Amino acid sequence: MVAKKVMLGARLIQDGTITPDQLNDALEYQRRRIEESGRRIQLGTALVALGYCTDEDIANAMSRNTGYDLMSLNSNPLDMEAANLIAPDVAQRYHAIPVGFDGERLLVAMRNPNDLIAVDDLRLITGREIRPVIVSDDELAAVIEQFANLSSTVEATPDELDEKIPSFIEETDTADKPAVILTSQIINSAVRTGASDIHVEPQEKTLRIRFRIDGVLHEMMTQPMSIFPAVASRLKVLANMDIAERRVPQDGRATLKVDDRVIDLRVASLPSAYGEKITMRLLDRSARNITIDELGFPPNDKSRYMETVSRPYGFLLVTGPTGSGKSTTLYATLAQLNTPEKNVITLEDPIERRMNGLNQVQMNERAGMTFASGLRSILRSDPDIVMIGEIRDRETAKIAVEAALTGHFVLSTLHTNDASSAVTRLGEMGVEPFLTASSLVGVIAQRLVRVLCPRCKKAVVIPKEKMLATVPDFPFEPDENSVTVYQATGCLACNNTGYKGRRGVYEFLQVDEEIRNLILEHASNHEIQRVAMAHGMVTLRGDGFQKVRGGITSMEEMLRVIV
């Protein structure tokens, strides 16, 4: 094993990819990892982790050292007939997966083609001679993960109220197995790919399955329409819905365990021309709560925002359309404010994330527990900080403003296009300008843009004249004649979308004395925005341009999200 390390390291030094000092750093990094975790990592993994080279550099060097062919899985799609010759757990165990055929031989992409035990085991399992090929580690990991997505089991678990929820596994003996397996595969695949929503849509001849990933819908599979009734019944039973009722919309919920993750599932059915469309929202209980530092605020706005939320009382609004990350911003803020000295109470519908130290209250309109009635009740529970999931009506808005005026810090959301419009919206809901001016301390408007995949994004230099012809307000420095931006291309790591993950784009309106006077004078949105910009506010579009310049997102994505 030592000779192999030196040979790979020597090859990379010979190619000029790394220096001898960097090789020594990587060997030391390997040693520390073994001491800390008891698990050995490969030299290539250490070099990539330290940023000294890329997975492609390692794959090229290994190909030249071993004599095995180098293959790009981006250019050569996975042959599912070959892949299905082994089980996903075998692929994960050996870090290898069949990708195609070479005559009678099986082409197997491997992390370590010199692993003779793995080659012999795969020969016995598949009944074919094995021809190893080398691929980069990140491509291999992405393909094995995609292959495994349709195999893991999904278990239904009792929810927090200890209600009995039927399990897929319990019903496989008496129900149609194809529908059980397909339903499990759909949910498992959605969780693995990071989807926020699943759309099960009956069409005239086929059943279409779509996932919303990073805010954009992707068609993942189609199935024969004949399986739809069984799939719909399975999902409705799981969500404790009436399977006999198909004429009216229904809502349900379930708590599932996928691998080691607990997932809350909100299910809605809607009668359509060819059957019930079923939409599922996935909420991962085990997802880590992100911090304010990770939200992506512009540096100046972040310091102003931290100053605003540190006040003992006031009214803070987060605005934007559905799916723009408002709840994430609120949870990150509550995590910052949540200390043993503070009594924090939230009113939510639904409770999207559970946080230790918060008193989180679920709304139940059928039982008369609305935002307005709940807010009245919690104000008698001695709160310091109150979070209201959404300002939906005049009564809730007025109580929230009054709570802010009586010594509470109140956070909530509102649906407006920009920060300054929130003032007008409160007025339309019946809140008097003097109340708004006295209570409002800040408004965030936000959107979510997809982040360019770091593996495949492509730099493009655009001349100033060409950029201004398509985007007239793009900010150029006086001496700039061109700008470098990045475009999406697509690879296995990002499912050929060109994007992986999302980042917030923000506009923070801090309410100071001059803004308060404008509110009292019934000033227009444009006037409030003009003064806020003069005081240092960066608009949504301005922050979007900064993220385009920084290579975080593409111009096309920014213009798609922000008008």
Side-chain angles (χ1 to χ4, degrees):
M1 298 300 288
V2 174
K4 182 182 175 185
K5 287 182 186 176
V6 174
M7 186 162 53
L8 175 61
R11 170 68 71 176
L12 291 166
I13 292 172
Q14 179 183 334
D15 293 345
T17 306
I18 63 172
T19 66
D21 288 342
Q22 289 174 332
L23 175 60
N24 290 332
D25 288 347
L27 293 171
E28 176 61 22
Y29 180 85
Q30 270 187 313
R31 185 188 64 77
R32 290 200 310 270
R33 288 292 298 272
I34 292 173
E35 291 177 354
E36 292 169 1
S37 65
R39 298 178 62 184
R40 180 183 176 277
I41 65 168
Q42 295 193 352
L43 175 62
T45 303
L47 287 165
V48 173
L50 292 170
Y52 292 154
C53 60
T54 66
D55 284 307
E56 288 78 7
D57 295 330
I58 301 296
N60 276 310
M62 287 189 66
S63 176
R64 290 194 296 276
N65 277 342
T66 61
Y68 291 110
D69 290 338
L70 179 66
M71 175 181 285
S72 169
L73 294 179
N74 284 318
S75 307
N76 298 275
L78 181 68
D79 185 333
M80 289 306 298
E81 182 182 351
N84 285 328
L85 291 175
I86 67 171
D89 62 324
V90 174
Q92 292 168 331
R93 186 186 319 139
Y94 293 120
H95 300 289
I97 186 168
V99 293
F101 298 94
D102 177 24
E104 293 299 314
R105 292 189 297 175
L106 190 64
L107 287 176
V108 179
M110 302 186 69
R111 171 183 285 182
N112 179 13
N114 287 325
D115 187 344
L116 300 181
I117 294 176
V119 171
D120 286 343
D121 286 353
L122 291 172
R123 183 185 297 114
L124 289 172
I125 292 169
T126 63
R128 288 177 176 266
E129 288 299 314
I130 304 299
R131 178 190 155 198
V133 292
I134 292 176
V135 299
S136 65
D137 272 2
D138 54 351
E139 286 188 4
L140 182 61
V143 168
I144 291 177
E145 181 178 356
Q146 290 174 10
F147 181 54
N149 275 351
L150 298 179
S151 66
S152 297
T153 59
V154 178
E155 300 176 35
T157 63
D159 70 358
E160 65 272 19
L161 299 177
D162 293 326
E163 297 171 353
K164 174 63 178 175
I165 301 178
S167 168
F168 286 114
I169 298 172
E170 290 172 357
E171 297 177 332
T172 52
D173 293 333
T174 58
D176 294 332
K177 265 195 172 181
V180 174
I181 294 171
L182 177 61
T183 305
S184 180
Q185 288 175 345
I186 290 169
I187 296 173
N188 176 72
S189 182
V191 172
R192 285 284 192 89
T193 55
S196 60
D197 301 87
I198 304 171
H199 293 251
V200 180
E201 302 169 319
Q203 307 292 301
E204 184 176 4
K205 296 180 180 179
T206 59
L207 173 63
R208 180 172 68 170
I209 310 298
R210 294 192 292 172
F211 294 169
R212 188 174 295 280
I213 303 171
D214 293 336
V216 177
L217 278 172
H218 299 272
E219 185 170 315
M220 305 304 290
M221 67 177 82
T222 57
Q223 295 290 328
M225 188 59 184
S226 58
I227 202 171
F228 171 67
V231 169
S233 295
R234 190 70 54 199
L235 290 171
K236 290 170 76 174
V237 166
L238 178 73
N240 200 26
M241 296 158 69
D242 185 354
I243 62 172
E245 181 57 75
R246 301 184 180 91
R247 299 164 298 174
V248 297
Q250 293 188 68
D251 294 313
R253 58 191 295 270
T255 302
L256 306 175
K257 189 174 183 182
V258 180
D259 298 330
D260 293 325
R261 300 158 70 180
V262 178
I263 307 296
D264 282 336
L265 209 63
R266 312 289 172 174
V267 185
S269 67
L270 183 69
S272 67
Y274 301 108
E276 291 177 287
K277 171 185 167 66
I278 297 178
T279 306
M280 291 172 277
R281 166 64 58 89
L282 284 73
L283 302 171
D284 189 349
R285 283 195 196 178
S286 54
R288 181 180 65 87
N289 289 314
I290 69 171
T291 64
I292 290 179
D293 291 336
E294 297 171 298
L295 288 175
F297 272 116
N300 186 45
D301 278 357
K302 179 189 165 187
S303 61
R304 293 163 65 235
Y305 183 67
M306 294 299 293
E307 175 194 338
T308 300
V309 300
S310 64
R311 299 183 184 186
Y313 56 87
F315 188 25
L316 178 73
L317 280 171
V318 183
T319 72
T322 301
S324 60
K326 299 187 296 296
S327 295
T328 300
T329 299
L330 287 176
Y331 281 121
T333 304
L334 289 175
Q336 179 77 25
L337 300 176
N338 184 23
T339 63
E341 297 79 23
K342 300 288 186 181
N343 178 21
V344 184
I345 305 180
T346 72
L347 297 175
E348 304 177 59
D349 187 21
I351 297 173
E352 294 187 19
R353 299 180 192 175
R354 287 155 173 82
M355 293 179 64
N356 289 332
L358 302 188
N359 301 287
Q360 297 175 274
V361 181
Q362 170 70 52
M363 296 297 93
N364 188 341
E365 292 194 5
R366 291 182 182 177
M369 184 65 164
T370 64
F371 281 115
S373 63
L375 186 52
R376 284 197 197 92
S377 299
I378 67 173
L379 290 177
R380 295 192 290 270
S381 299
D382 187 31
D384 297 294
I385 298 168
V386 177
M387 193 271 273
I388 308 166
E390 184 182 345
I391 301 290
R392 294 179 178 174
D393 52 48
R394 174 179 180 176
E395 189 178 8
T396 307
K398 295 198 74 171
I399 299 172
V401 167
E402 289 166 2
L405 290 172
T406 54
H408 305 90
F409 194 83
V410 181
L411 306 94
S412 190
T413 67
L414 202 61
H415 291 282
T416 63
N417 290 327
D418 55 30
S420 58
S421 298
V423 175
T424 305
R425 182 78 182 106
L426 286 174
E428 291 171 350
M429 298 179 83
V431 179
E432 297 293 340
F434 72 90
L435 292 175
T436 301
S438 302
S439 61
L440 194 64
V441 294
V443 183
I444 300 174
Q446 68 178 76
R447 302 289 188 276
L448 290 177
V449 294
R450 291 180 292 170
V451 175
L452 285 163
C453 174
R455 274 191 40 79
C456 63
K457 67 180 181 181
K458 178 182 177 183
V460 179
V461 178
I462 301 179
K464 182 176 182 178
E465 295 77 13
K466 184 176 179 181
M467 176 64 80
L468 292 178
T470 54
V471 189
D473 57 337
F474 189 86
F476 278 95
E477 297 296 330
D479 57 343
E480 275 188 308
N481 296 317
S482 63
V483 63
T484 300
V485 298
Y486 290 83
Q487 294 179 342
T489 53
C491 66
L492 278 170
C494 59
N495 292 316
N496 291 309
T497 63
Y499 300 92
K500 196 166 187 179
R502 289 192 288 177
R503 184 74 63 84
V505 177
Y506 298 95
E507 173 181 298
F508 179 51
L509 169 64
Q510 188 175 36
V511 179
D512 56 22
E513 196 62 37
E514 192 171 348
I515 299 292
R516 272 193 203 93
N517 291 332
L518 289 174
I519 295 172
L520 289 170
E521 294 166 4
H522 300 267
S524 67
N525 297 343
H526 295 298
E527 181 63 17
I528 293 174
Q529 186 180 61
R530 184 190 65 78
V531 172
M533 289 174 64
H535 293 182
M537 183 183 82
V538 178
T539 64
L540 280 170
R541 204 166 169 88
D543 188 29
F545 286 141
Q546 290 179 17
K547 287 179 168 61
V548 170
R549 275 184 173 273
I552 294 171
T553 192
S554 66
M555 181 63 74
E556 294 78 12
E557 172 67 5
M558 196 280 285
L559 295 175
R560 179 186 73 86
V561 174
I562 304 170
V563 179

